Amino acid sequence: MANNLKIEIVTPDRKVLSEEVEYVGAPGIMGEFGVLPNHVPFLSALGIGNLHYKQDGKAHYVFIAGGFAEVSNNQVTILAEVAEKATEIDVDRAQKAKQRAEERTAKAKEKVDAARNQASLKRAIARINARSCGKNAGTC
Ligand code: ATP
């Protein structure tokens, strides 16, 4: 299939990605949504998770945490608070962040900001998954 869709991912710090692709799947706050060429114009807030896109039949993964997605004229624009290509993710760091979040959950008697801790845990798990999906060539 031809790469008829353009995707751009930017964060406040940098341009993460600009590619011609076949398909984009993204973690909306209401659940995952998919975009093929000729999709109707669409706007969604983003949650924490992994965006994936298909290019020349191959799946690629990008970790996303918050922001907005806009779809218009065969262009998907992702304005993310945080975004990392799977290849940029430091899995050891994500494993340590996951461990810290799990330890905070276990210390339930202490003052823990549960929502903040859940978000940390979700970020760590999504980062670890982004790397393993990439390694397994798209079998997530
Ligand atoms: P940590 O507790 O390890 O800092 P975090 O989820 O709190 O993780 P964020 O606030 O999401 O970190 O990100 C802060 C900055 O660090 C961002 O620029 C993000 O891209 C980068 N970052 C965080 N974790 C990783 C990771 N495992 N690999 C690569 N970059 C990371």
Side-chain angles (χ1 to χ4, degrees), residues 1 5 7 10-11 24 41 44 51 55 66 71-72 81 86 88-89 99 105 114 116 118 121-122 129 136 139:
M1 200 202 263
L5 200 57
I7 179 167
V10 294
T11 70
V24 176
S44 174
L51 175 148
Q55 188 179 50
V71 180
S72 178
E81 286 168 30
E88 295 172 329
I89 291 171
Q99 198 177 336
T105 306
R116 189 174 161 192
Q118 272 301 106
L121 186 58
K122 211 170 167 186
N129 287 343
N136 297 333
T139 49

Side-chain angles (χ1 to χ4, degrees), residues 50-123:
N50 287 306
L51 175 148
H52 64 280
Y53 63 90
K54 259 194 177 174
Q55 188 179 50
D56 301 322
K58 196 173 167 231
H60 301 264
Y61 294 86
V62 182
F63 166 79
I64 300 283
F68 290 92
E70 185 191 25
V71 180
S72 178
N73 293 325
N74 284 331
Q75 160 115 15
V76 181
T77 306
I78 306 284
L79 305 173
E81 286 168 30
V82 179
E84 295 137 24
K85 289 189 230 173
T87 48
E88 295 172 329
I89 291 171
D90 177 341
V91 175
D92 284 348
R93 178 173 167 177
Q95 290 283 11
K96 283 179 187 141
K98 178 170 177 272
Q99 198 177 336
R100 282 196 302 277
E102 286 168 347
E103 282 165 8
R104 284 193 296 265
T105 306
K107 289 182 196 160
K109 281 183 214 131
E110 288 180 23
K111 263 199 170 176
V112 171
D113 181 337
R116 189 174 161 192
N117 198 42
Q118 272 301 106
S120 294
L121 186 58
K122 211 170 167 186
R123 285 197 299 276

Side-chain angles (χ1 to χ4, degrees), residues 15-27:
K15 183 185 273 191
V16 178
L17 189 89
S18 177
E19 298 284 347
E20 305 280 339
V21 302
E22 294 156 6
Y23 171 82
V24 176

Side-chain angles (χ1 to χ4, degrees), residues 58-59 61 128-140:
K58 196 173 167 231
Y61 294 86
I128 293 163
N129 287 343
R131 278 304 294 265
S132 61
C133 290
K135 268 186 201 149
N136 297 333
T139 49
C140 209

